[in-house]
Amino acid sequence: MNLKSSWNKFWFSPAPYFDLAFMRIVAVSVQLFYLIDSQFPGLDYVYSLPVSQYKPLYVLWAVLWPWGFSSPPPSEVVFGLYGVTVLLGFASLFGILTNLSMILFSIGSILLMAFVFSFGDYHHPEALMLLALLAISLGPCGKVLSVDSFLARRRGGALVSVPLLEASSPYAGWPIRLIQCLYPLIYISAAVAKLAYNHYSLDWANGYTLQYYFIQDSIRKDLPLALWASQFHYILWFGQIVVLAYQITYFLTVPYPKLRWIYLPVGFTFHMANYLILYAPFPQWIALLGVYIPWAVAFKMLASKQVQLKVAGSGA
Amino acid sequence: MPIEGGGRTGYVMDRSTRDRLYRTGVSIFVIGMLAAQASTLLVTATAKSVLRSKLYPFIEYPMYGIAHYEGERVTATWHLEGVYNDGHTIDISQEMLNLSIWDYNRIIQATMASQKGAADAFREVMRERVPGSAELQQVRIKSYAIKVTRHGPEEIPSEVPMTVPMTPAS
């Protein structure tokens, strides 16, 4: 098999429209919740910071030139962008002009996030979601489970009837594949940092490191559970070794997809533990782990499952 | 995805051409995304700088990446103590400054690292948000009084690694 056909097989094998549309709904829902719950107060907050803290990220430069780069644009402009982005989010969620609304929703979300992070502080959970939204928006994400598909059916024309879970396309799989490939790169980045930042030693996995971070975050965020857990040196030591091994080997899920059934629950547990103990919420990452689940197959199996019921009048 | 119909008068792009164009576009996009994300690995591997401001949303992920050792002081945050002209003091909390814990730490740590403009930004925040700041003579930055041990946190004396005068030295 030559490179071109391997490439096409990897990225353009037929995949269910349902999986992509389902992930569109999951990703857009999480991003919309984030926008409404956290982004609005976040924008309000950064406008209260000293202007000296503002250093616009490069991704903003193309849109900031009318207002210059030394001070933030008027808040009306940024909150206007916020309002439009939220509306586009709802259009993407319901599948109205799906691709267009979702491309613009992705761009709006990137600009808003980059603006908030232009004030110096930045966090990690959001970036993967922004890339995922962009990828999904460029695939046929509104072919099913959307107002667009409903209207197309109403209009009629040259349409073929196919069961929802069986409709597939060579172009419905690549956005999901791409997100599956971004996860290993991100985990390797985390692993490389743990090695490189410590002079390429294994010092990071010494037990004390995690104890330190548990104490640190318990002070910063008032977390009694983290403070209590910081006393268990050997358990945390073991935990660090597991985390490092997990992050280094995660890329194996790409050539060996069946490994997802090990890495997915471990990853889910890891992020939930992070949330519960360290209050380091990564809801975007947890939601996007859904790209590893073949939703159409799962729903088909569920729908065809036989259940045992007692016959009416049998005395039950 | 290939767009249905959508041709100009006298020219309708056939399906195979649309498919080829779409595949090419997607391939370029995929390679670009993966290359951009992978490029952050090279920067992380040097452990000397960060790319985040240049390539966002392609960023590094060094979360909790620095190793720590037994007996190390936990620098979770800092205490600030303002000293007025008449000698009395005030505890300056993160809540008083109306800053998130991240911005509070970042502004203090930038000042301690003598980053360009950091001390001025620090003074600006104090002047704007500390009561009676016109009478404030200096602000002491005090370290957190906790160290990490095998059995968990242990108290140690606090230190004053830096004092910031409210009037910059000329």
Side-chain angles (χ1 to χ4, degrees):
Chain A
M1 207 186 300
N2 64 27
L3 185 65
K4 190 177 172 188
S5 60
S6 301
W7 178 267
N8 283 334
K9 190 179 169 205
F10 186 82
W11 294 106
F12 302 117
S13 288
Y17 283 124
F18 185 85
D19 286 2
L20 185 61
F22 189 83
M23 283 313 298
R24 178 197 93 226
I25 291 169
V26 169
V28 171
S29 300
V30 171
Q31 179 65 12
L32 261 178
F33 179 79
Y34 172 79
L35 279 175
I36 293 166
D37 181 62
S38 307
Q39 187 95 78
F40 190 86
L43 290 172
D44 206 31
Y45 169 74
V46 294
Y47 270 104
S48 76
L49 292 172
V51 175
S52 58
Q53 301 297 300
Y54 176 68
K55 290 178 184 64
L57 302 190
Y58 289 163
V59 70
L60 290 174
W61 283 33
V63 293
L64 279 179
W65 57 267
W67 300 281
F69 305 111
S70 55
S71 60
S75 58
E76 294 83 3
V77 173
V78 174
F79 280 98
L81 172 66
Y82 171 83
V84 171
T85 304
V86 169
L87 287 177
L88 287 165
F90 280 106
S92 311
L93 180 66
F94 294 115
I96 301 167
L97 296 174
T98 318
N99 287 100
L100 180 63
S101 58
M102 200 164 163
I103 289 169
L104 296 175
F105 175 59
S106 310
I107 293 171
S109 297
I110 291 171
L111 295 177
L112 287 169
M113 206 67 256
F115 176 71
V116 170
F117 290 166
S118 293
F119 288 81
D121 183 28
Y122 88 112
H123 299 278
H124 292 95
E126 299 86 0
L128 176 63
M129 177 58 85
L130 299 176
L131 299 179
L133 286 171
L134 200 54
I136 293 170
S137 74
L138 296 174
C141 58
K143 282 283 181 187
V144 296
L145 306 181
S146 65
V147 172
D148 287 348
S149 62
F150 174 76
L151 293 177
R153 273 199 308 279
R154 287 279 299 269
R155 278 196 299 270
L159 296 176
V160 182
S161 242
V162 182
L164 171 65
L165 298 176
E166 285 170 22
S168 67
S169 158
Y171 304 125
W174 73 262
I176 287 177
R177 277 298 226 178
L178 179 58
I179 301 165
Q180 289 175 351
C181 290
L182 286 171
Y183 266 105
L185 283 173
I186 284 169
Y187 283 130
I188 287 176
S189 169
V192 168
K194 290 174 178 67
L195 300 174
Y197 286 15
N198 303 298
H199 311 289
Y200 283 98
S201 69
L202 289 175
D203 280 10
W204 183 83
N206 63 9
Y208 295 108
T209 301
L210 201 49
Q211 284 184 282
Y212 179 99
Y213 288 123
F214 274 30
I215 298 167
Q216 172 195 277
D217 281 13
S218 74
I219 294 166
R220 285 180 179 174
K221 305 177 201 169
D222 191 19
L223 305 171
L225 184 57
L227 191 63
W228 173 78
S230 71
Q231 63 185 302
F232 300 108
H233 175 75
Y234 290 104
I235 294 173
L236 297 182
W237 187 3
F238 176 72
Q240 285 191 267
I241 292 166
V242 171
V243 167
L244 198 53
Y246 177 85
Q247 291 179 337
I248 288 173
T249 59
Y250 192 91
F251 71 94
L252 291 170
T253 57
V254 177
Y256 306 108
K258 281 187 179 169
L259 285 175
R260 74 179 78 173
W261 301 119
I262 297 172
Y263 281 86
L264 188 61
V266 174
F268 180 79
T269 309
F270 170 65
H271 290 300
M272 284 308 288
N274 255 344
Y275 177 59
L276 294 173
I277 300 172
L278 291 174
Y279 194 62
F282 278 64
Q284 295 93 336
W285 290 28
I286 293 173
L288 288 174
L289 283 173
V291 295
Y292 290 102
I293 297 174
W295 293 105
V297 174
F299 279 106
K300 227 184 304 183
M301 278 170 61
L302 207 62
S304 64
K305 184 135 180 81
Q306 303 288 312
V307 290
Q308 308 295 318
L309 294 176
K310 285 198 173 176
V311 179
S314 66
Chain B
M1 105 229 68
I3 299 160
E4 303 293 334
R8 287 176 184 275
T9 309
Y11 175 73
V12 176
M13 199 184 285
D14 65 66
R15 189 175 182 85
S16 67
T17 307
R18 287 201 316 257
D19 277 10
R20 205 169 52 247
L21 281 176
Y22 182 70
R23 277 183 194 228
T24 307
V26 166
S27 299
I28 293 168
F29 177 77
V30 161
I31 291 168
M33 291 271 276
L34 294 177
Q37 187 57 54
S39 70
T40 68
L41 280 175
L42 302 175
V43 180
T44 304
T46 64
K48 285 182 182 158
S49 62
V50 286
L51 261 179
R52 68 178 171 93
S53 62
K54 299 176 182 73
L55 268 184
Y56 192 84
F58 301 99
I59 58 171
E60 299 94 338
Y61 291 85
M63 302 90 80
Y64 302 105
I66 308 282
H68 294 283
Y69 302 91
E70 186 171 23
E72 197 175 321
R73 182 187 291 275
V74 179
T75 50
T77 185
W78 308 87
H79 292 299
L80 294 181
E81 186 179 63
V83 183
Y84 288 101
N85 288 333
D86 62 4
H88 82 268
T89 61
I90 181 174
D91 285 334
I92 302 170
S93 66
Q94 168 211 335
E95 289 77 17
M96 180 189 288
L97 298 179
N98 193 23
L99 292 172
S100 72
I101 183 69
W102 316 112
D103 286 317
Y104 176 84
N105 280 353
R106 193 171 49 76
I107 288 171
I108 293 171
Q109 280 163 199
T111 305
M112 292 175 73
S114 304
Q115 286 177 14
K116 191 182 169 197
D120 290 335
F122 181 91
R123 287 188 197 99
E124 186 185 344
V125 172
M126 298 303 141
R127 277 194 207 102
E128 283 178 3
R129 304 183 185 191
V130 176
S133 61
E135 302 299 314
L136 210 54
Q137 189 185 63
Q138 60 184 35
V139 177
R140 293 179 189 138
I141 300 175
K142 298 164 83 174
S143 61
Y144 218 85
I146 294 283
K147 70 175 180 179
V148 61
T149 74
R150 180 164 298 205
H151 308 290
E154 202 175 288
E155 283 196 24
I156 51 172
S158 180
E159 291 172 353
V160 181
M162 191 175 193
T163 299
V164 184
M166 285 304 288
T167 313
S170 52

